[in-house]
Amino acid sequence: LMRFIKFVYEQDLEGVDEIDLSQRNLMNTLKGKFLEMVVEVTMMKFNHELMPGAWFGQTGQVEVPLFQFVKTTTVKASKTKAYQIDVFGKEEKRHKVWLCECKYTKTPMDLTQVKKLESAAQVLIKTHEEEGTEVPEIHLWLVSAGGFAGKVLTYIESRADIYYSDYDGINNLFKAYGGNYSIPQFAEDDG
């Protein structure tokens, strides 16, 4: 009976479990954009409040800036490659910027993303130097729904200029600023 079923239905069952890679990539792009929007909306509501440092991977409390604008941007100096910054916030009055890298997978963020964000910060500094403008105080913010690899935590634990928020951290921030639901976690990790 099994041979008969296999013979008759083999072609119909072939590839049933496969997912079209273009659809998987589209889903990954949409998930990433969603997290970036959550971070962007949250950052737009910051207003010098003191927030629990644990939500940013810090001890004590963190005073969040009042950003004049928050957006996705690209930085490039004259002789450097371009770097996309997932979320960029600028506070004019206190001359601060936050560069944010978002990762919406179950896989923990690794050192590659941290180094990329640090490179983007260096290019931002270089653009200010080339333009002859004052270099702002730069903070890096890593947001990863899947947490962080051990090497990342070791690398950034002594850095006061790098904040990091895992799934609980970004959810707590989102809810503190009016988000009325938890950011969904997906059953499988698509990348």
Side-chain angles (χ1 to χ4, degrees), residues 30-142:
L30 292 174
K31 284 172 27 183
K33 197 64 180 158
F34 172 77
L35 183 59
E36 289 171 21
M37 289 172 51
V38 164
V39 170
E40 212 172 297
V41 166
T42 303
M43 286 173 68
M44 284 191 282
K45 294 179 180 180
F46 286 176
N47 190 11
H48 296 295
E49 298 90 0
L50 291 175
M51 303 306 291
W55 296 352
F56 292 99
Q58 304 291 313
T59 57
Q61 294 185 316
V62 171
E63 181 182 342
V64 294
L66 171 58
F67 294 113
Q68 275 64 53
F69 64 88
V70 178
K71 64 181 182 176
T72 297
T73 192
T74 302
V75 294
K76 182 180 180 340
S78 61
K79 294 182 181 179
T80 67
K81 70 180 200 174
Y83 288 90
Q84 180 193 344
I85 298 170
D86 292 341
V87 186
F88 175 87
K90 186 172 186 177
E91 181 182 32
E92 300 280 347
K93 186 176 179 184
R94 296 188 182 178
H95 205 54
K96 290 182 181 182
V97 296
W98 281 24
L99 311 181
C100 183
E101 178 71 20
C102 300
K103 189 170 186 316
Y104 198 5
T105 65
K106 286 188 175 185
T107 307
M109 183 180 282
D110 64 27
L111 222 42
T112 306
Q113 283 96 7
V114 179
K115 296 290 188 178
K116 177 186 152 237
L117 194 58
E118 286 181 323
S119 295
Q122 291 304 312
V123 170
L124 181 64
I125 290 168
K126 191 164 183 67
T127 60
H128 280 280
E129 290 170 349
E130 288 176 356
E131 295 168 357
T133 55
E134 184 183 350
V135 177
E137 180 183 323
I138 299 172
H139 287 273
L140 306 180
W141 187 20
L142 308 168

